[in-house]
Amino acid sequence: MHQNQCERNIKSTMSSSITLKGCYTVKPIEPTWSGCLSLTECDQVGIITHVPLIYFYRPPQNWLTSPTKIATILKHSLSRVLMHFYVLAGRLRSKENCHFDLECNAKGVEFIEAESSSTLYDLGNFSPSSNNYYRYLFPHVDYTLPIHELPLLLIQLTKFKCGDISISVLFSHAVVDGQGLSHFLNEWAQLARGEPLKRVPCLDRTMLHDKKPCNSVNEWMFNEPPLLLGNSDGKVEESKKKTRVGKIKLNKAQVEKLRKIANESWNKHSNDRGFSRYETIAGHMWRSACKARGHKNEQPTMLGVTVDWRSRVKPSLPKEYFGNAAYDIMATSLAGDLMSKPSGYASSKIKETIEKVNDEYVRLMSEYFKKLDDWTNFQNLHEIVSGNIVPFYQNPNLGVVSWLTLSLHRLDFGWGNELYMEPGIHDMLEGESFILPSSHDDGSLMIFICLQEVYMDAFKRHFYEDLELENLSKL
């Protein structure tokens, strides 16, 4: 893509306070392997659009001698790291029945430079906001274009009037999951700092295609997410209601208090490891959401858990495996049980669900999808089509994604660690949520959750009051 064509594609997305300075296609610095890779079932189910995240930085005042130095460093190091992660410079190619291949053709990734007449203070101390200005800090993907024309990775560098900067990233979830993205970003930052590549990615997807079928007599079955009782068309109706993104802060002491209450409230075996931070917090979120939404006791509800199975299959995948090695697994319960039983009950349902994911389970899931001719209903293409049944985290359900084990923080490109980092909250759908560690690396956590606006205040109230925790959220 030439620079002028790139500018035409995004010019309409710029706001009056943000000015486009340039748009470039960055390609691998040296020739890379070209050809077509078959995507796995795991690559092609769930979210296959672009996922956003953003970093905010405050470079030292005396660090730069040229206003273009940051952009130059980022683009040059990006071209170098793409030599190793060359799949990100390729394009998806459509096949029949919403199947895709990955064409490694070095078409490149999109890099945008922009300037803002605002300051970071104008963002409201990084608060979730309905201010449309926030979305202009991210690249725009035009999903009306043929999929083979869409970059798999888009990056935007925005310089603020105060001298601070933001670096936003949009990555195609059909190509890589959060673990792989974390690997890529850290290697990119390492090269930007002038250091050598630390870990080479494993781009071999045949290790999944070649896995033998499972010999078990068991069969994995998909259960459709429940709808609100008495509302057969609830999915469409619920999707029309106004939503709001909330942010909840938990310090280390509060996290440990939640775990202590959950573990002590539910019987466990003497050799049980107890509930993890994720199981504890996600369980409490699920319970609080049921109360806030006013569910009847007999209301079925589901919580989506994303489980990385790199180490759960035999033989295990290398940590450097670059692709999707995570499935959304569903924990289910009646709302009445979640609300009336001790908090450890919700955590136990999530723990049981996660512990099901082993080599046999992953193979059964893969075989299930291989038998399906059409995966349309299992793909989240919310920017393009509606009516898909997976994922469906709207009322009465919830999806809680953990970034607790991803190395997405402390990303230093040469001018220090970020001030702040978060997922692209402007693009969240109702029922979606994230748990991630604080940028301060002090054991505190951040929760971002999108709910119907009418339920948000009640959700926060139940989240804190039920456990007599001090409400630190001012949002």
Side-chain angles (χ1 to χ4, degrees):
M1 181 185 295
H2 298 296
Q3 183 179 350
N4 59 349
Q5 181 183 350
C6 182
E7 289 180 2
R8 285 198 301 270
N9 287 346
I10 68 168
K11 187 173 291 184
S12 62
T13 71
M14 293 286 111
S15 75
S16 58
S17 61
I18 297 183
T19 305
L20 171 69
K21 304 303 289 184
C23 185
Y24 309 89
T25 298
V26 180
K27 298 183 179 183
I29 197 169
E30 294 180 7
T32 55
W33 179 82
S34 62
C36 197
L37 291 177
S38 296
L39 295 177
T40 68
E41 299 79 32
C42 194
D43 291 321
Q44 299 178 76
V45 297
I47 300 173
I48 62 172
T49 50
H50 293 75
V51 178
L53 70 159
I54 189 168
Y55 293 82
F56 294 92
Y57 293 90
R58 179 164 293 154
Q61 290 285 330
N62 59 353
W63 188 80
L64 295 178
T65 57
S66 167
T68 62
K69 189 172 182 180
I70 286 181
T72 300
I73 289 174
L74 289 175
K75 286 185 287 187
H76 179 67
S77 55
L78 182 58
S79 68
R80 291 178 60 207
V81 77
L82 285 174
M83 186 175 67
H84 304 279
F85 294 82
Y86 57 82
V87 292
L88 288 174
R91 296 293 184 268
L92 293 181
R93 186 174 67 185
S94 293
K95 299 166 66 177
E96 60 181 6
N97 298 327
C98 268
H99 288 52
F100 300 94
D101 280 335
L102 175 55
E103 192 170 357
C104 299
N105 52 20
K107 290 285 187 180
V109 306
E110 191 169 287
F111 186 93
I112 300 163
E113 287 186 67
E115 287 186 357
S116 172
S117 60
S118 302
T119 68
L120 287 193
Y121 180 80
D122 297 322
L123 287 178
N125 194 28
F126 309 116
S127 301
S129 171
S130 59
N131 186 349
N132 284 331
Y133 168 77
Y134 180 85
R135 70 176 59 250
Y136 297 116
L137 299 178
F138 293 83
H140 171 70
V141 181
D142 184 359
Y143 287 110
T144 64
L145 295 174
I147 199 164
H148 65 268
E149 293 184 16
L150 300 179
L152 301 177
L153 178 66
L154 302 94
I155 296 157
Q156 180 171 322
L157 167 67
T158 304
K159 299 177 182 178
F160 295 91
K161 183 173 63 175
C162 55
D164 298 338
I165 65 171
S166 67
I167 300 173
S168 59
V169 178
L170 290 182
F171 69 97
S172 172
H173 214 313
V175 177
V176 64
D177 59 14
Q179 196 70 250
L181 176 73
S182 171
H183 180 194
F184 167 78
L185 290 176
N186 279 277
E187 297 298 341
W188 179 23
Q190 192 135 309
L191 293 180
R193 297 195 305 267
E195 301 173 16
L197 198 78
K198 188 174 183 180
R199 294 187 297 134
V200 177
C202 172
L203 304 178
D204 180 11
R205 294 171 191 245
T206 61
M207 60 180 63
L208 295 183
H209 291 299
D210 293 344
K211 276 190 174 293
K212 295 180 181 180
C214 184
N215 295 323
S216 172
V217 296
N218 298 323
E219 185 174 356
W220 186 87
M221 290 296 294
F222 169 75
N223 295 316
E224 292 194 25
L227 300 175
L228 285 173
L229 294 175
N231 192 351
S232 60
D233 198 27
K235 184 171 182 180
V236 176
E237 292 182 15
E238 293 299 308
S239 65
K240 295 177 181 178
K241 296 180 179 178
K242 189 174 181 180
T243 61
R244 180 173 134 207
V245 177
K247 181 165 70 173
I248 290 177
K249 305 174 185 178
L250 287 174
N251 61 36
K252 184 176 181 179
Q254 290 172 321
V255 173
E256 291 307 314
K257 184 173 183 178
L258 277 170
R259 291 183 70 179
K260 186 173 185 291
I261 292 173
N263 280 306
E264 291 180 352
S265 70
W266 201 249
N267 294 328
K268 60 182 187 295
H269 301 295
S270 58
N271 60 347
D272 198 325
R273 62 170 170 79
F275 299 126
S276 67
R277 290 183 301 169
Y278 173 80
E279 292 160 352
T280 300
I281 298 169
H284 187 56
M285 291 171 64
W286 195 12
R287 195 167 182 253
S288 300
C290 288
K291 293 181 178 181
R293 288 165 164 172
H295 287 328
K296 299 176 181 178
N297 288 338
E298 63 272 22
Q299 172 67 58
T301 176
M302 174 195 82
L303 183 133
V305 183
T306 302
V307 180
D308 185 326
W309 42 263
R310 283 171 172 79
S311 62
R312 295 171 177 265
V313 294
K314 298 178 182 178
S316 60
L317 297 181
K319 292 181 180 179
E320 294 79 13
Y321 176 76
F322 196 75
N324 280 280
Y327 273 126
D328 286 342
I329 314 299
M330 309 305 166
T332 59
S333 177
L334 293 179
D337 290 337
L338 293 171
M339 295 185 291
S340 63
K341 293 183 178 181
S343 61
Y345 169 77
S347 297
S348 73
K349 298 297 289 184
I350 296 171
K351 181 180 178 183
E352 290 170 8
T353 301
I354 294 174
E355 290 180 344
K356 290 179 184 177
V357 182
N358 54 20
D359 185 72
E360 176 187 10
Y361 192 91
V362 172
R363 293 189 190 210
L364 287 171
M365 286 189 72
S366 297
E367 289 174 32
Y368 174 86
F369 287 114
K370 283 178 181 177
K371 294 175 184 178
L372 297 179
D373 293 328
D374 191 346
W375 293 342
T376 306
N377 283 342
F378 294 89
Q379 295 171 332
N380 183 1
L381 287 164
H382 63 265
E383 294 282 358
I384 310 173
V385 297
S386 60
N388 298 347
I389 56 176
V390 179
F392 174 56
Y393 297 142
Q394 296 172 0
N395 192 7
N397 307 309
L398 201 66
V400 184
V401 177
S402 172
W403 284 7
L404 294 174
T405 59
L406 302 184
S407 302
L408 290 171
H409 285 293
R410 307 180 70 80
L411 194 66
D412 180 8
F413 288 94
W415 45 84
N417 295 330
E418 71 277 2
L419 292 172
Y420 182 74
M421 170 270 191
E422 71 176 28
I425 57 176
H426 67 289
D427 203 34
M428 291 177 68
L429 300 177
E430 206 271 333
E432 288 184 337
S433 63
F434 295 87
I435 306 175
L436 57 156
S438 166
S439 295
H440 300 300
D441 197 27
D442 57 0
S444 60
L445 304 180
M446 302 292 297
I447 298 170
F448 294 91
I449 183 167
C450 181
L451 293 174
Q452 291 174 20
E453 190 172 53
V454 67
Y455 300 133
M456 182 60 74
D457 290 341
F459 173 81
K460 290 185 176 183
R461 184 175 67 253
H462 288 299
F463 188 93
Y464 284 105
E465 289 181 355
D466 286 2
L467 296 176
E468 298 180 349
L469 294 171
E470 179 187 0
N471 187 343
L472 297 181
S473 177
K474 307 299 183 183
L475 307 172

